[in-house]
Amino acid sequence: MRVRLVGSILATAVTLYGAGLELDALLGQLQQVEDLSKKTIRESAGYVITYTRQDLDRMRIKSLKEILERLPFFRYNEDQNGLTDLLYVPFQPTQHGQIKLYIDDKEASDGLFGNSLQVFSEMDLSYIDHIEIYLGAVSFTLGTEPALTIIKLYTKDPARENSDTLDISGGSYGKKDVTFLSAKELESGKYLAYFNHRDLRRKKIHYKSVTLSRDKKFDVSYFTYYKGHLRYELFASRLDVHPFTAGALDLQPSYALISTRDFYTGLHYFDPQRGWKSYVYFTYSNVWENEEDEEILGVLPQKSFPFIRPYKSHRFKAASAVLESELSKKMQLGKKWSVLLGAIGKVKNFEFLINRFDDLDLSHPPYNQEKLLTAYMESSYLFNDKNIAIVSLKKDRYFENGPVKNYNQKMIRLGYVYNSKKFVTKMFYGEADLKPSPMQIIESLSSTDLDKQKYRVYALELQRKRQNSKLSLFYTKMNVQKLIVRDVKKMRLVNLSHALEFDSLDLRYRYHFDLYNTMEVDGFVVHPRYNNDRASGNLFGAHIVLYNRYKNFDFYNALVYRKWTRSQGSGIDYSFTIDYKYSKDLHFYLKGINVFDSAITTDYYGYDLAKSKILELPDVSVIDRQFLVGMEWQF
């Protein structure tokens, strides 16, 4: 019944464009010309998926989570704290380095935990113009430290906005959102100022005698000012989280709260005519965690019998500061050969101010600083107007203090691109090292000398382009060696002794019926192999998305399907947005997410020490069924 109803809704949306639309063709063409994604996209940097300004506006997107759900080769997931973790596996460490998030050229990260995708994925995106996602053997010139997937959020151009905007919305479970954005072009420059308060209420989960919460509160401010080739940025955020099971061994914390504060400021210089680009940023972050359990919250390993120490409470406070700078120069050597040279310097300082398990104090570990020096080169040779070859080299040197060894990392990337009016072929090969994060190093100080992880990626993309459509076939083969995992029996982090391999195939088709009506269809399969075991089950995903306009109404409909591991099962998520343009400056919208409450779920696990058995909290929805109503007013 649900499938028939969803099919009927989608079929109706497809045909809306033919029902006597009154299109303003001139305005639509102007929007295409002003599409900023055409200025920032780098097709030679990998397999790229773009969400334009028009796409995001039609979605009335509220968070990056809505995009992550549709990301090929992944399923949306959350960890035991109710925070985004696309690679979540029970009892295993978060793989922070595999997916990196950037706001313009600034990596969203702190010095201790690494990437901040967990925090940023549910923040408001009203100040973002468009999104680019790079997969496969991605160019390391997109970011500072190595990653397999790079997500870039590009902020709005103040000159294009040139207005003040107020957005107010509310919805299921008492969720509230207030956003103000001011963007203006001045005689001396241009600026964008943004503020958001979000009270993100979520569905409560009941387990035995406790009610588990994943509610979050955000306060986010962002300011940027442009003058000539310079751009100044200032960002500040506050996040309070009720962290679900909070990692409690019995899945029943009696009290849990996480609070984070993030701040960064920086100056960015870019001169496209002379090829110079540079920046300097300072980032400060801190995090507080307070967790309690009436029984056993967790256990610590000990060297003597009984080899474990149970605890009922954990108090944690950490701070980090990062100073980073980059300088690069792109040179044209003749008509066919271009070279990009760059250097990066980064200093990370971090400290455990409080790390107390009951009455055991493990604060102030002997390791609290990491320095990075990087040099890179990317050379491109244009054989003719259709064929280009790319060679990229990068060398990282990490200087660790205290008892920790230094790390060397190298990255190699080779590429070939054929680009004609109708066909595009991309071939890439990449090798990359990925050292353990400072948090992983601290966890292993007394037990294991962790080695760096090694990745090899082969990628091939074939495109068929027509005037109103694009068909893309993307294949990637990835080999992972020495992956950092947690040995649950020994309660420590180790490098996996055997290799992992993943063969992935994605087919994506996008068709534009006209300027305001678009359809996108995507399907993928991932075949994982563990220790040369070819019997590992395949992972499947697909989605169909429709963007439509009828008179003063914009419609967005999305159907997302995931079939994952046997324990995680499968699910279908239908979401929609209806936007009504009351006047040029006033919009009203209705938004539904996971309307039929049938999206893929996650099982969470704990352990009963007294009975020596696994505890299970099954079928938890990580994408809540919710409805939102809102208003946007420009003035």
Side-chain angles (χ1 to χ4, degrees):
M1 179 65 181
R2 284 180 175 175
V3 174
R4 288 199 299 269
L5 181 56
V6 171
S8 176
I9 293 172
L10 293 177
T12 301
V14 170
T15 58
L16 278 175
Y17 83 98
L21 294 174
E22 297 178 5
L23 300 178
D24 186 345
L26 182 60
L27 179 59
Q29 292 169 3
L30 182 61
Q31 288 177 336
Q32 287 192 337
V33 170
E34 292 182 340
D35 184 358
L36 297 182
S37 66
K38 294 179 180 179
K39 301 178 182 179
T40 61
I41 191 170
R42 293 181 54 190
E43 287 286 356
S44 63
Y47 179 53
V48 57
I49 299 171
T50 304
Y51 292 90
T52 67
R53 171 68 176 275
Q54 190 177 44
D55 294 339
L56 301 183
D57 285 348
R58 298 280 186 87
M59 292 174 65
R60 283 292 166 185
I61 188 169
K62 288 299 179 181
S63 70
L64 187 62
K65 179 177 178 177
E66 298 175 49
I67 299 295
L68 297 177
E69 184 193 4
R70 308 207 312 251
L71 194 61
F73 313 141
F74 296 93
R75 60 147 296 188
Y76 182 79
N77 215 345
E78 294 178 346
D79 65 10
Q80 68 275 7
N81 292 316
L83 299 174
T84 298
D85 186 351
L86 302 187
L87 302 170
Y88 172 69
V89 177
F91 307 118
Q92 292 302 315
T94 301
Q95 300 293 337
H96 288 289
Q98 295 193 13
I99 303 174
K100 295 283 190 180
L101 176 67
Y102 288 82
I103 301 175
D104 292 321
D105 290 319
K106 172 70 175 70
E107 181 183 354
S109 68
D110 63 16
L112 184 59
F113 294 95
N115 192 266
S116 297
L117 181 63
Q118 289 189 307
V119 174
F120 278 82
S121 67
E122 293 191 278
M123 285 186 180
D124 177 72
L125 295 182
S126 296
Y127 65 110
I128 299 301
D129 181 87
H130 63 281
I131 299 173
E132 295 170 6
I133 302 173
Y134 293 85
L135 302 164
V138 301
S139 172
F140 42 73
T141 59
L142 290 170
T144 56
E145 296 188 66
L148 301 178
T149 300
I150 290 181
I151 302 172
K152 302 209 73 170
L153 311 181
Y154 288 92
T155 54
K156 292 179 176 178
D157 181 359
R160 179 182 179 182
E161 304 304 312
N162 210 31
S163 65
D164 297 320
T165 303
L166 178 66
D167 190 306
I168 301 174
S169 65
S172 303
Y173 313 111
K175 177 180 178 179
K176 296 181 285 291
D177 231 348
V178 178
T179 300
F180 175 74
L181 185 144
S182 178
K184 300 287 179 64
E185 185 170 22
L186 310 173
E187 290 185 5
S188 59
K190 54 185 179 179
Y191 77 90
L192 183 148
Y194 160 87
F195 172 77
N196 170 257
H197 171 74
R198 169 167 290 179
D199 188 352
L200 181 58
R201 307 289 182 89
R202 297 190 58 183
K203 179 182 178 181
K204 302 298 186 292
I205 305 298
H206 301 282
Y207 178 72
K208 294 185 178 180
S209 60
V210 300
T211 298
L212 302 171
S213 174
R214 297 170 292 177
D215 292 349
K216 303 175 181 70
K217 284 188 177 181
F218 297 87
D219 288 296
V220 181
S221 299
Y222 176 79
F223 176 80
T224 185
Y225 180 79
Y226 295 79
K227 185 176 178 62
H229 297 307
L230 291 173
R231 182 179 81 239
Y232 170 73
E233 289 183 276
L234 177 66
F235 175 93
S237 71
R238 169 178 175 164
L239 169 62
D240 296 320
V241 180
H242 292 277
F244 195 35
T245 69
L249 206 56
D250 63 356
L251 304 176
Q252 300 182 74
S254 57
Y255 176 79
L257 182 66
I258 297 177
S259 294
T260 68
R261 308 291 184 268
D262 294 283
F263 166 88
Y264 72 76
T265 185
L267 192 63
H268 186 280
Y269 174 86
F270 180 50
D271 184 350
Q273 299 297 325
R274 298 194 298 166
W276 286 104
K277 185 173 79 170
S278 65
Y279 66 73
V280 58
Y281 282 104
F282 173 75
T283 303
Y284 178 80
S285 305
N286 55 37
V287 57
W288 294 266
E289 296 182 16
N290 191 350
E291 304 163 349
E292 298 177 4
D293 197 304
E294 294 180 356
E295 299 297 331
I296 296 177
L297 182 68
V299 294
L300 292 173
Q302 291 192 142
K303 294 183 179 180
S304 58
F305 185 81
F307 304 111
I308 59 172
R309 173 177 175 151
Y311 58 90
K312 292 186 176 182
S313 66
H314 182 213
R315 306 286 185 274
F316 179 79
K317 181 180 180 181
S320 67
V322 180
L323 181 64
E324 58 187 303
S325 181
E326 179 177 5
L327 176 64
S328 67
K329 167 70 172 176
K330 187 171 184 178
M331 299 172 288
Q332 193 69 36
L333 307 178
K335 294 182 178 181
K336 296 186 175 183
W337 187 22
S338 65
V339 177
L340 175 66
L341 298 175
I344 300 171
K346 184 181 289 190
V347 179
K348 305 177 185 178
N349 292 283
F350 35 85
E351 186 71 40
F352 282 7
L353 303 174
I354 301 173
N355 191 26
R356 187 175 297 116
F357 301 84
D358 291 341
D359 58 351
L360 177 64
D361 192 355
L362 298 179
S363 304
H364 308 292
Y367 165 64
N368 58 18
Q369 188 183 76
E370 177 180 87
K371 297 178 181 179
L372 167 65
L373 289 178
T374 294
Y376 64 84
M377 179 276 293
E378 182 170 273
S379 176
S380 301
Y381 185 81
L382 188 67
F383 295 99
N384 51 47
D385 60 350
K386 296 179 181 178
N387 296 272
I388 184 172
I390 303 164
V391 177
S392 305
L393 302 172
K394 185 168 182 275
K395 180 73 172 180
D396 295 333
R397 175 67 170 173
Y398 287 87
F399 300 90
E400 317 287 353
N401 80 332
V404 180
K405 67 179 182 181
N406 296 331
Y407 289 90
N408 286 309
Q409 289 186 164
K410 71 176 187 300
M411 277 138 281
I412 301 171
R413 183 174 181 265
L414 307 175
Y416 166 77
V417 178
Y418 170 81
N419 189 359
S420 69
K421 292 182 178 180
K422 294 184 177 181
F423 296 98
V424 176
T425 300
K426 302 180 188 179
M427 293 184 288
F428 299 107
Y429 170 76
E431 291 184 6
D433 299 330
L434 186 60
K435 63 171 285 293
S437 69
M439 192 65 181
Q440 291 174 333
I441 292 174
I442 290 173
E443 184 177 342
S444 304
L445 279 177
S446 61
S447 59
T448 309
D449 189 12
L450 293 174
D451 201 354
K452 58 191 177 185
Q453 304 161 106
K454 295 180 178 294
Y455 294 84
R456 289 201 309 270
V457 181
Y458 306 84
L460 170 67
E461 181 186 0
L462 304 175
Q463 286 184 23
R464 176 68 166 96
K465 298 184 294 184
R466 296 179 187 271
Q467 183 177 357
N468 295 323
S469 66
K470 184 172 80 170
L471 176 66
S472 299
L473 179 68
F474 176 63
Y475 168 77
T476 180
K477 183 182 185 67
M478 181 171 64
N479 177 277
V480 185
Q481 297 182 11
K482 299 184 179 182
L483 182 69
I484 296 175
V485 299
R486 179 170 286 111
D487 186 327
V488 179
K489 293 182 179 179
K490 296 181 180 180
M491 299 184 63
R492 67 182 187 183
L493 296 180
V494 298
N495 289 101
L496 203 60
S497 59
H498 59 266
L500 306 178
E501 286 194 354
F502 301 88
D503 291 289
S504 305
L505 184 68
D506 180 65
L507 182 65
R508 177 175 293 252
Y509 178 69
R510 191 174 177 97
Y511 184 82
H512 300 277
F513 297 97
D514 52 44
L515 291 174
Y516 296 111
N517 297 274
T518 302
M519 176 181 69
E520 178 182 281
V521 181
D522 181 274
F524 71 82
V525 59
V526 178
H527 179 57
R529 295 199 296 272
Y530 309 111
N531 199 20
N532 294 321
D533 176 14
R534 295 182 179 273
S536 303
N538 292 333
L539 313 175
F540 298 95
H543 70 248
I544 178 170
V545 177
L546 300 167
Y547 304 92
N548 301 101
R549 173 170 293 182
Y550 179 70
K551 295 185 178 179
N552 288 344
F553 288 92
D554 280 326
F555 299 91
Y556 161 79
N557 289 272
L559 192 64
V560 180
Y561 170 75
R562 290 293 183 269
K563 183 180 183 297
W564 227 240
T565 61
R566 183 177 302 176
S567 62
Q568 297 181 58
S570 61
I572 298 177
D573 172 13
Y574 167 66
S575 300
F576 74 88
T577 301
I578 301 173
D579 181 277
Y580 173 62
K581 184 179 180 181
Y582 179 79
S583 66
K584 178 182 176 181
D585 301 320
L586 184 60
H587 288 246
F588 298 95
Y589 56 89
L590 169 66
K591 188 176 179 71
I593 298 174
N594 191 15
V595 171
F596 299 118
D597 198 20
S598 56
I600 191 170
T601 59
T602 297
D603 298 339
Y604 294 90
Y605 297 92
Y607 191 75
D608 188 328
L609 282 176
K611 298 180 180 179
S612 298
K613 72 173 185 178
I614 298 290
L615 302 175
E616 183 179 9
L617 176 55
D619 298 326
V620 176
S621 175
V622 292
I623 303 173
D624 293 339
R625 176 186 183 181
Q626 56 180 306
F627 296 91
L628 304 171
V629 293
M631 174 207 74
E632 181 189 86
W633 177 38
Q634 285 190 332
F635 55 95

